[in-house]
Amino acid sequence: MIPSFPFLKKKSLDHAGNVFLPSRRDFLKIGSLAGGGLLLGVSFQCTTKAQSQAFVPNVYLSISPDNTVTIIAHRSEMGQGIRTSLPMIVADEMGADWSQVRIVQAEGDESKYGNQNTDGSFSVRMFYEPMRKAGATARHLLIKAAAQEWGVDAAACVAENSTVIHSESGRSLTFGALANAAQQLELPDQDTLELKEFSSYKLIGKDTPIIDLKDFVTGKAVFGADVNLPGMKIAVIQRTPVVGATITEYDASEALAIPGVLQVVKISGSGNPPGLTKPLEGLAVIADNTWAAIKGRKALQITWDLGDNASYDSKAQLETMKQSTLEDGMIRRERGDFNQAKQGAAQVIERTYEAPFYAHGTIEPPAAIAQFVEGKMEIWAPTQHPQWARDSVAEACSLSADDVRVNVTLLGGAFGRKSKPDYVVEAAMLAKETGLPIRVQWTREDDLHHDFFHSHSMQRIRATIDADKNLTGWNHHTVFPAIGATSDANELHPSDGELGLGCIDFPYEVPHIRIETHESKAHTRIGWMRSVSNIHHAFAICSMMDEVAEAVGKDPVQFALDMLADDKALDFDGEIKGEFGNYGESLEDYPWETTRLKNVIRRVAQESGWGKSLPSGTAMGFAVHKSFLTYVACVVELMRDDSGEITIPVVHYAVDCGIAVNTDRVRSQFEGGAIFGTSIANTSAITLKDGKVEQNNFDGYQLVRMPQSPKKIHVHIIESNRKPTGVGEPPVPPLAPALANAYYKLTGSRVYALPFKL
Amino acid sequence: MATYELTINGKQYQVDAEEDMPLLWVLRDLLDMKGTKFGCGQALCGACTVMLGDSAVRSCTLPVSAVGSGAVTTIEGLSENGDHPLQKAWIEHIVPQCGYCQSGQIMNAAALLKNNPTPSEDEIDQAMAGNLCRCGTYNRIKEAIFTAAT
Ligand code: FES
Ligand code: FES
């Protein structure tokens, strides 16, 4: 069986949502909101079996008599601005004064908040409608309360700046003053609820500053490691140098002799396969402070049984993977008959594309705090997926999930790394074992050695061109250790889910298509990183399309437009062998539209001045790639100075993400995505030798710094009234191939392996 | 273990610490000042940047015993009310994404402007090259420094 991975599982949503007035008991349940006023719950199910689920609210919204509007943010904030974007939808729809809105971070609790997994660029996509409905319900109740109070027609009242106004009579009352009366009213009918016109929004569709701004610039924002508990001790762990290794013996006496070191505790590891939720085997040094724990760890003497992965060499595996792509693979999509295209071809272009393992390299290394008191575990952690953390902790510590509480702090970057709860489980196990409040602190070395890496990959593409210069056949082989292999050693092929990320949905009108996969094993932990397999798939496909365009004598932008042919919704009818995930959405709700892809291509060409003559020493490259239901085209410009140094003066993106809820955060995600993509293209790579990661810190695993990063990043957002789609991940995939294609224009050298030096 | 007298954000502190303990952990673990962040521990990312006198230093590799009588300024002490020109410019340009690297970025920029009140783009690039931002906020950082410098 080929698994799909968590964030691609179908989670079709009851978009209608349900808004309701919780009982007095609910007021008490969420203590921070107690004290009178109006409280609304919003419930929307992240499951296909809505009826069988208990009716539970996901988000609470309250108005207290002092006129404060409180909105619970149930998604994790990691730099994408979601703590701002979702509450501001509610606030804008209800007419609240944004400066009087307070945002409270929800703990991890599925029974209260539904699925909180913040991953797969879907927060805004899923919650746009329900948030609007919640806001509209509140507005309706407040206006009705005011109208009753004044004995006027509700239709003559408006709500703005947290005040209901009846302009005819000049009367007004604040939301706070109306809150108690509003709580007594019947809920409006959800189906006929009137939502505001898009044009009347004051926050949605605008540049709305993020709510944590002031805390960020004054050092007050609380990230994982910033939580301090009385009596808390610090644990630094020496983990297996090779995945699956075990400790045969150890001597902790030197470590214990270091001032401040208190205890050394063994953590039994998961063995092989390592799994996505479990800690690696290791020895934890527990000390009064972080520095003592770091020094203590250095002094440990450990003998390891290195196990099955001790001879693993990632370079050698890539070579084996490359050979495998010469064979027939498992066919995953077939249209026409590629062999026929090959026989009739005037030219066959055959290339391989290689990409390395990547580490997430969040500047905040993983950290988690746990306290175990009277059978109850309380956690503070920067986690993308508090419920998975909660369940994993419960399992590892033999507790019921009800006895585990996970508080979500701000995340100092995540990019998929902090979905995995291994570091949270470590803290919980140590807290339980020692009875002490514990912070597990990962160092940078720990982070790079023990990440869940973006998989390295090898691809071979054969493109056939006939005598009339038509692209007639496309044969794409892709091989990479799958995410599923981290939990199940029998997962040897990429899953349907991974292929659905920019490979199997090759959108161009080519008569003969064959897409194949090959076997490879995972010898380290594989996970998902910002845009996942779209990264390597887009690199290969957009690079090859550029090369084919040249071979048929066409401009690459024109070639892409021509190959998309007519406006249509793609359904890959019967061609895909497994399931096409479409990011968890149906093709009816979110069709694959070539029109929208062509739109972003034309827009980026126009904005970048594509086709204009460029001064010598400069060149432009183009790539287009849809991911996470968002359409993106990218042009990268390169410049070589007299000394031969190459820099990136400009990147242009055109993006169609439906309604852009917070335009500033859409742009910032693309700015950051361009730089993230530049690291992928030019500087970063993880390699393993003798089963061990060879890079130790940011000297070995390089990220782009200010001087190498693109100097200007222009983001052109297509105006749209379509459903909003995600923007966290889609900027990343097209950057590397656009950069590689520009590099070819500038230097005459094609790029077939990442990373490549400028 | 020795006792050190430190001047941090204009106040005197007395700490008992091992002499090789980096200032970063003195601030974070012993004084509970969490604004200064840990990113690499090897002077490679800049997350831990504070000012010693008028210079930016990486507190993760500066042993407490080497701090001496110099005045340490951390993000908490850059301004009383969060209204240093750089903090205002950071807010105006909505610089942060996750926010984690930003204490270090701001402190590094503060030292830059102390020593060079009107830096060129190249000078900013060079001065800020030691501060990583994985979220990719470099261009807004640069714009904010320009704004604060004028
Ligand atoms: S933590 Fe000091 S430079 Fe990275
Ligand atoms: S804002 Fe996230 S690392 Fe800089």
Side-chain angles (χ1 to χ4, degrees), chain B residues 84-143:
Chain B
H84 183 279
L86 282 166
Q87 289 168 315
K88 288 205 280 195
W90 243 249
I91 288 174
E92 179 186 333
H93 292 276
I94 322 180
V95 173
Q97 288 187 29
C98 80
Y100 192 80
C101 73
Q102 301 293 342
S103 302
Q105 305 276 6
I106 292 173
M107 294 315 293
N108 204 72
L112 164 65
L113 293 187
K114 272 252 151 103
N115 298 298
N116 179 359
T118 52
S120 68
E121 175 162 5
D122 259 4
E123 286 168 340
I124 296 176
D125 272 352
Q126 292 321 313
M128 300 302 293
N131 287 73
L132 284 172
C133 175
R134 183 55 153 162
C135 298
T137 63
Y138 297 133
N139 294 354
R140 294 194 191 206
I141 289 173
K142 206 184 289 183
E143 286 164 25

Side-chain angles (χ1 to χ4, degrees), chain A residues 77-80 207-210 213-214 216-219 221 223 225-228 232 234 259 288-292 294-295 359-365 410-413 415 439 441-445 529-530 664-665 667-669 671-673 675-676 679 684 697-699 701 703-707 709-713, chain B residues 1 18-22 25 28-30 32 34-47 60 75-83 86-88 90-103 105-106 121-122 124-126 128-143 145:
Chain A
E77 177 60 60
M78 49 199 174
Q80 82 284 42
D207 287 357
T208 303
I210 50 174
L213 205 41
K214 182 94 190 216
F216 284 150
V217 304
T218 52
F223 296 90
D226 299 340
V227 173
N228 201 4
M232 186 176 74
I234 317 305
D288 284 328
N289 60 66
T290 317
W291 183 241
I294 289 172
K295 286 194 350 188
H360 299 75
T362 57
I363 305 299
E364 173 197 48
L410 290 167
L411 283 66
F415 314 115
R439 160 160 56 89
Q441 180 63 59
W442 286 46
T443 63
R444 178 59 51 197
E445 289 79 5
M529 183 183 85
R530 196 174 188 178
D664 173 72
R665 285 303 93 177
R667 280 202 309 279
S668 70
Q669 283 301 299
E671 290 159 12
I675 292 167
F676 201 94
S679 289
S684 306
N697 207 312
F698 288 133
D699 45 355
Y701 187 71
L703 302 176
V704 159
R705 295 170 182 273
M706 191 184 278
S709 85
K711 296 278 173 268
K712 289 263 177 299
I713 300 157
Chain B
M1 191 84 92
E18 293 296 317
E19 61 185 33
D20 59 352
M21 183 186 281
W25 300 116
R28 289 187 57 85
D29 286 357
L30 305 188
D32 200 24
K34 305 287 201 208
T36 307
K37 302 301 182 197
F38 168 58
C40 70
Q42 301 284 343
L44 295 165
C45 77
C60 68
I75 188 73
E76 291 94 340
L78 183 62
S79 66
E80 199 128 298
N81 305 309
D83 54 1
L86 282 166
Q87 289 168 315
K88 288 205 280 195
W90 243 249
I91 288 174
E92 179 186 333
H93 292 276
I94 322 180
V95 173
Q97 288 187 29
C98 80
Y100 192 80
C101 73
Q102 301 293 342
S103 302
Q105 305 276 6
I106 292 173
E121 175 162 5
D122 259 4
I124 296 176
D125 272 352
Q126 292 321 313
M128 300 302 293
N131 287 73
L132 284 172
C133 175
R134 183 55 153 162
C135 298
T137 63
Y138 297 133
N139 294 354
R140 294 194 191 206
I141 289 173
K142 206 184 289 183
E143 286 164 25
I145 294 175

Side-chain angles (χ1 to χ4, degrees), chain A residues 356-375:
Chain A
F357 288 111
Y358 292 107
H360 299 75
T362 57
I363 305 299
E364 173 197 48
I369 287 141
Q371 172 163 265
F372 188 63
V373 180
E374 291 171 4

Side-chain angles (χ1 to χ4, degrees), chain A residues 362-556:
Chain A
T362 57
I363 305 299
E364 173 197 48
I369 287 141
Q371 172 163 265
F372 188 63
V373 180
E374 291 171 4
K376 306 252 187 226
M377 185 73 73
E378 181 151 16
I379 306 274
W380 291 260
T383 168
Q384 283 174 261
H385 201 336
Q387 289 145 3
W388 202 16
R390 187 184 187 215
D391 292 344
S392 304
V393 164
E395 192 188 329
C397 297
S398 310
L399 297 168
S400 128
D402 290 339
D403 291 330
V404 181
R405 185 186 160 101
V406 177
N407 303 289
V408 182
T409 65
L410 290 167
L411 283 66
F415 314 115
R417 168 62 182 97
K418 292 170 186 166
S419 306
K420 277 67 118 196
D422 57 321
Y423 55 103
V424 184
V425 174
E426 287 174 347
M429 287 168 88
L430 292 172
K432 189 167 179 224
E433 170 108 16
T434 63
L436 298 165
I438 296 280
R439 160 160 56 89
V440 163
Q441 180 63 59
W442 286 46
T443 63
R444 178 59 51 197
E445 289 79 5
D446 298 337
D447 177 52
L448 293 178
H449 292 165
H450 308 299
D451 198 355
F452 292 82
F453 300 103
H454 172 91
S455 200
H456 67 177
S457 60
M458 186 62 75
Q459 296 168 84
R460 180 183 300 273
I461 300 182
R462 297 187 183 97
T464 60
I465 298 167
D466 70 10
D468 299 325
K469 301 273 183 204
N470 294 312
L471 171 58
T472 53
W474 183 268
N475 177 211
H476 185 168
H477 295 253
T478 181
V479 50
F480 51 95
I483 293 168
T486 302
S487 313
D488 179 352
N490 297 321
E491 295 296 345
L492 296 172
H493 281 267
S495 67
D496 285 354
E498 284 161 309
L499 286 188
L501 305 180
C503 174
I504 209 82
D505 58 341
F506 177 74
Y508 300 104
E509 192 103 332
V510 180
H512 305 285
I513 296 173
R514 191 161 74 207
I515 299 174
E516 306 172 53
T517 58
H518 300 267
E519 292 187 355
S520 63
K521 280 190 182 153
H523 299 273
T524 182
R525 302 198 290 185
I526 312 288
W528 48 93
M529 183 183 85
R530 196 174 188 178
S531 82
V532 205
S533 7
N534 282 293
I535 292 171
H536 44 269
H537 290 146
F539 166 57
I541 293 169
C542 301
S543 297
M544 184 54 126
M545 285 296 284
D546 200 74
E547 198 160 342
V548 174
E550 188 181 35
V552 301
K554 280 193 179 173
D555 172 81

Side-chain angles (χ1 to χ4, degrees), chain A residues 588-651:
Chain A
E588 290 82 66
D589 286 349
Y590 291 85
W592 212 125
E593 296 167 89
T594 57
T595 330
R596 294 175 77 183
L597 200 65
K598 285 193 280 185
N599 255 340
V600 293
I601 295 174
R602 288 196 192 99
R603 179 75 184 270
V604 85
Q606 181 200 337
E607 299 279 1
S608 65
W610 181 262
K612 74 181 175 200
S613 72
L614 294 167
S616 80
T618 57
M620 281 183 179
F622 159 81
V624 58
H625 188 81
K626 179 192 174 196
S627 68
F628 298 88
L629 309 170
T630 293
Y631 300 77
V632 183
C634 177
V635 167
V636 173
E637 196 175 317
L638 289 180
M639 185 167 82
R640 185 173 34 205
D641 68 13
D642 296 340
S643 69
E645 202 196 324
I646 300 175
T647 52
I648 311 173
V650 189
V651 170

